């Protein structure tokens, strides 16, 4: 079960959730291609059979192996990010969680959200992903990276907050008009 579903309060329900874009794998993919190209170059250098190039080729093969291990690390990091990042808006709060071993969570009441910012670079615009930053009262600021359709996420958050504030205002007006109804 997910962190968000496990931490819902009574009568709280998820209205919208967002996910991480598979583009988090791009750095590991580019690194993998580069490490394979480097390994091919090293093996071609090793096939020349001359002594100075043989030592250099061995060194190049060692470096390509280290580069490949780095690529595996990037792939594991992207997998953990994809599988462990959760972002949802409920009828009461914005809830988000990132990480597995090193966990970061954010839970802000809808009434305490000041703004929602979106950052997209050119690749993010082309593939429809970007960073979403939630800013709360008191300086709380949390950025969630590589979120699918960040502009749509911002729009959804703003619409839900607007509906929440409208319902809260109506509730307050009802309490002023009928003070005994709120004391039950």
């Amino acid at each position: 079960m997910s962190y968000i579903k496990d931490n819902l309060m009574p009568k709280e329900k998820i209205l919208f959730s967002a996910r991480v874009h598979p583009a988090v794998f791009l750095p590991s993919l580019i690194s993998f291609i580069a490490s394979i190209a480097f390994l091919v170059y090293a093996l071609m250098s090793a096939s020349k059979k001359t002594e100075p190039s043989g030592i250099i080729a061995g060194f190049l093969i060692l470096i390509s192996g280290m580069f490949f291990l780095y690529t595996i690390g990037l792939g594991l990091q992207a997998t953990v990010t994809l599988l462990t990042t959760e972002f949802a808006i409920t009828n009461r709060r914005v809830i988000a969680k990132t990480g597995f071993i090193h966990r970061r969570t954010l839970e802000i009441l809808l009434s305490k959200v000041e703004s929602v910012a979106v950052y997209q670079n050119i690749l993010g615009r082309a593939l429809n992903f970007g960073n979403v930053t939630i800013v709360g009262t008191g300086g709380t600021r949390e950025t969630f990276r590589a979120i699918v359709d960040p502009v749509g996420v911002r729009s959804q958050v703003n619409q839900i907050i607007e509906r929440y504030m409208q319902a809260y205002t109506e509730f307050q007006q009802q309490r002023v008009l009928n003070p005994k109804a709120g004391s039950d």
Side-chain angles (χ1 to χ4, degrees):
M1 187 157 259
S2 75
Y3 171 84
I4 292 173
K5 288 181 182 176
D6 286 344
N7 289 291
L8 291 177
M9 296 186 304
K11 297 183 182 179
E12 186 175 26
K13 59 184 175 185
I14 297 172
L15 302 177
F16 176 77
S17 62
R19 57 188 173 80
V20 175
H21 197 280
V24 295
F25 286 102
L26 283 176
S28 61
L29 179 65
I30 291 168
S31 179
F32 177 74
I33 292 169
S35 68
I36 294 299
F38 199 70
L39 178 63
V40 167
Y41 174 74
L43 292 174
M44 287 175 55
S45 294
S47 68
K48 291 184 180 174
K49 303 285 187 209
T50 60
E51 188 57 39
S53 67
I55 294 170
I56 293 172
F59 182 70
L60 291 177
I61 290 171
L62 177 67
I63 289 177
S64 69
M66 291 172 32
F67 196 39
F68 186 73
L69 289 175
Y70 174 73
T71 299
I72 290 171
L74 285 177
L76 289 173
Q77 182 181 14
T79 302
V80 167
T81 299
L82 187 70
L83 296 176
T84 64
T85 300
E86 299 178 51
F87 183 90
I89 300 112
T90 70
N91 55 332
R92 296 182 182 179
R93 319 177 268 175
V94 174
I95 305 172
K97 185 219 39 139
T98 60
F100 177 64
I101 295 171
H102 178 81
R103 180 187 292 181
R104 285 186 4 216
T105 61
L106 171 74
E107 297 182 19
I108 299 179
L109 294 173
L110 290 177
S111 62
K112 302 296 182 187
V113 174
E114 283 186 351
S115 67
V116 181
V118 170
Y119 173 75
Q120 286 182 292
N121 58 21
I122 293 173
L123 184 61
R125 297 263 328 253
L127 297 177
N128 195 23
F129 72 92
N131 298 341
V132 175
T133 302
I134 304 290
V135 179
T137 57
T140 304
R141 174 184 295 268
E142 194 69 41
T143 299
F144 297 92
R145 302 190 190 301
I147 300 294
V148 173
D149 188 21
V151 175
V153 169
R154 179 181 59 198
S155 175
Q156 285 288 334
V157 170
N158 288 333
Q159 287 175 13
I160 290 169
I161 290 172
E162 182 65 30
R163 284 187 296 212
Y164 170 80
M165 295 308 285
Q166 250 180 343
Y168 183 73
T169 302
E170 290 171 8
F171 173 74
Q172 291 295 336
Q173 289 173 350
Q174 197 69 357
R175 281 184 52 193
V176 169
L177 295 174
N178 190 4
K180 291 182 181 180
S183 64
D184 290 334

